[in-house]
Amino acid sequence: MTQTPTPAVEPAAFEEFTVPVEGGDLAVLRWPATVPDAPVALALHGITGNALSWARVAHHLAGRVTLIAPDLRGRAGSSALPGPYGIARHADDAAALAAVVGARRVLLAGHSMGAFTASLAAVRHPDRFSSLLLVDGAVGFPAPLELAPDELITAVIGPAMSRLSMTFPDRAGYRSFWQAHPAFGSSWGPWVDDYVQRDLVGQEPELRSSCRIEAVRTDGVDLFSEDVLAAVHHLPCPARLLWAERGLMDEPQGLYDEERLAAAGLDRRVVTPLMLAGTNHYTILIGDDGAREVARHLMETAGSS
């Protein structure tokens, strides 16, 4: 897959703060708008990600939208937040954050697991959110009955699960681990490096991922629960679903295609699916081309809310 070369610029500056939620404080990043009366968007990351997965999108927003992204419970700056975990808990945390951002209603965006969370948050808290931008997630299918929970999660997220039990001698070692991932390819740059480094905790030579294994395990299984699978079919507000052409390992088959989306039975009056050509599950958000398109759709969605 060909990617546009990474621009030689630094990532946009952000503010960091915390918001009280049940059990403690949720760590939150904010890229503030620089224009008056700008819309506000709340953006949720994937199952083993963190808030900086949205940094490249923030760069392309260029101050036209205030973008707010939390580290979800059990990850990065929010790793100390206790369980119980699950998509409903993340949805309620998102609603608690939306209540303090200073806007009556906000656009809610999510990538991967964050898209499932966004859909459920909109269903559970319909007065909080004006519209949705779902990025390569939210549309699910029943789990294969023959797989045990850990097998199911590994099948869904691949090497991202195995790294949670690994240690790394230094930050360069963690960088090398991710640079070898086939989905990242030529998309590596300061945004991606900052994103993966935010995940590290501990001391050299035993650095490890901040993601709590029990949180990832619980959330991964919950992606196949009835309420989570049903959420995208009961949205109280309009949504765009941006889906990647390629998969988690940059394989030709992505999570979605036209046939799978047709089989899902989406209400096209509510959910508008759009493929972003040339992207995979990761580069749709952190690659420069993907992030630019996500930012454009985010601005359009926010402007029509």
Side-chain angles (χ1 to χ4, degrees):
M1 181 179 60
T2 301
Q3 290 282 331
T4 299
T6 300
V9 296
E10 290 299 315
F14 58 85
E15 306 162 354
E16 187 162 1
F17 61 102
T18 60
V19 169
V21 293
E22 187 172 345
D25 292 327
L26 191 73
V28 183
L29 306 186
R30 174 171 52 206
W31 290 266
T34 57
V35 297
D37 302 319
V40 176
L42 173 58
L44 309 177
H45 62 73
I47 192 166
T48 64
N50 61 69
L52 279 181
S53 65
W54 289 90
R56 208 164 200 168
V57 172
H59 164 73
H60 286 295
L61 289 173
R64 291 167 287 185
V65 174
T66 290
L67 184 65
I68 299 172
D71 290 327
L72 294 177
R73 185 179 294 260
R75 285 85 170 168
S78 302
S79 62
L81 276 172
Y85 304 103
I87 306 305
R89 174 56 65 91
H90 296 310
D92 292 347
D93 287 345
L97 173 55
V100 301
V101 300
R104 188 177 70 84
R105 300 180 79 202
V106 303
L107 179 149
L108 184 57
H111 171 244
S112 193
M113 184 193 80
F116 287 90
T117 302
S119 294
L120 190 62
V123 170
R124 290 170 68 90
H125 306 278
D127 295 334
R128 289 288 181 205
F129 306 108
S130 59
S131 55
L132 295 177
L133 184 67
L134 309 171
V135 183
D136 219 35
V139 179
F141 304 92
L145 296 178
E146 71 274 11
L147 295 182
D150 280 1
E151 293 174 324
L152 179 62
I153 300 167
T154 300
V156 171
I157 65 175
M161 185 64 181
S162 61
R163 89 170 194 277
L164 303 188
S165 58
M166 300 171 61
T167 59
F168 300 86
D170 51 32
R171 291 185 174 273
Y174 200 48
R175 181 179 299 114
S176 296
F177 172 85
W178 277 111
Q179 286 178 324
H181 194 294
F184 283 71
S186 60
S187 292
W188 196 268
W191 288 271
V192 183
D193 196 60
D194 288 349
Y195 160 59
V196 302
Q197 296 294 339
R198 184 173 176 83
D199 180 46
L200 280 181
V201 294
Q203 300 292 327
E204 297 181 2
E206 293 188 355
L207 297 172
R208 57 179 176 78
S209 170
S210 65
C211 297
R212 290 194 175 191
I213 293 178
E214 63 269 30
V216 173
R217 181 179 290 116
T218 300
D219 295 344
V221 172
D222 202 28
L223 288 173
F224 297 92
S225 68
E226 183 177 345
D227 288 350
V228 173
L229 291 175
V232 74
H233 301 286
H234 299 284
L235 296 177
C237 56
R240 290 189 191 184
L241 167 61
L242 308 180
W243 53 279
E245 182 179 18
R246 302 175 68 84
L248 278 79
M249 302 296 288
D250 199 40
E251 67 272 33
Q253 176 62 61
L255 294 179
Y256 305 119
D257 55 32
E258 295 289 357
E259 184 176 352
R260 290 179 179 181
L261 290 172
L266 294 174
D267 185 346
R268 300 299 178 101
R269 296 168 299 178
V270 179
V271 181
T272 303
L274 299 162
M275 184 187 76
L276 296 194
T279 63
N280 63 46
H281 182 71
Y282 290 99
T283 61
I284 195 172
L285 191 67
I286 64 173
D288 195 59
D289 294 340
R292 182 183 295 107
E293 284 299 294
V294 170
R296 180 175 68 84
H297 284 283
L298 192 153
M299 288 186 287
E300 290 179 1
T301 305
S304 63
S305 298

